[in-house]
Amino acid sequence: MAEVVENKGKLWRTMGVVRSGKIYYSIEEALFLMEIGALVLLDDNGTSLSLNDIYAKVSGDSWELFEVYRHLKLLGYIVGQHGITWSIKDAK
């Protein structure tokens, strides 16, 4: 998961999960946003990670999940993980 430190625009409204007032993106969401130039991902030291750094972390089944996620997002669908609520209001 990637924690959002500063958000701009409207993409965050239909992506990620909100917990304790913070927005978190899954690896698929973070990678998709990086690919379209809407996210700069930083490590714990504040160093910017490249797309290749993230591609190296996604492999096997995770890569297939990402490809499906990317395809659906590019078709205009709102994609969420089953059983994970978007906001704290619905969280158990």
Side-chain angles (χ1 to χ4, degrees):
M1 299 294 281
E3 178 186 345
V4 177
V5 176
E6 180 180 339
N7 58 5
K8 295 180 181 177
K10 297 180 182 180
L11 284 174
W12 61 272
R13 292 182 184 176
T14 60
M15 295 178 74
V17 294
V18 178
R19 295 293 182 266
S20 301
K22 295 180 182 180
I23 302 170
Y24 297 93
Y25 290 137
S26 68
I27 189 72
E28 294 89 4
E29 292 169 322
L31 184 51
F32 175 76
L33 290 170
M34 288 181 71
E35 282 191 340
I36 65 170
L39 177 72
V40 175
L41 192 61
L42 306 174
D43 66 12
D44 292 334
N45 299 321
T47 304
S48 179
L49 298 173
S50 70
L51 269 174
N52 288 334
D53 293 333
I54 303 303
Y55 286 148
K57 296 181 185 298
V58 180
S59 61
D61 291 340
S62 295
W63 182 255
E64 290 177 9
L65 290 173
F66 168 68
E67 287 182 318
V68 171
Y69 178 86
R70 175 178 45 194
H71 180 73
L72 292 172
K73 289 298 285 182
L74 291 174
L75 289 173
Y77 287 93
I78 295 173
V79 182
Q81 292 182 349
H82 178 72
I84 298 178
T85 56
W86 284 357
S87 72
I88 196 69
K89 293 185 299 186
D90 298 328
K92 295 179 181 171

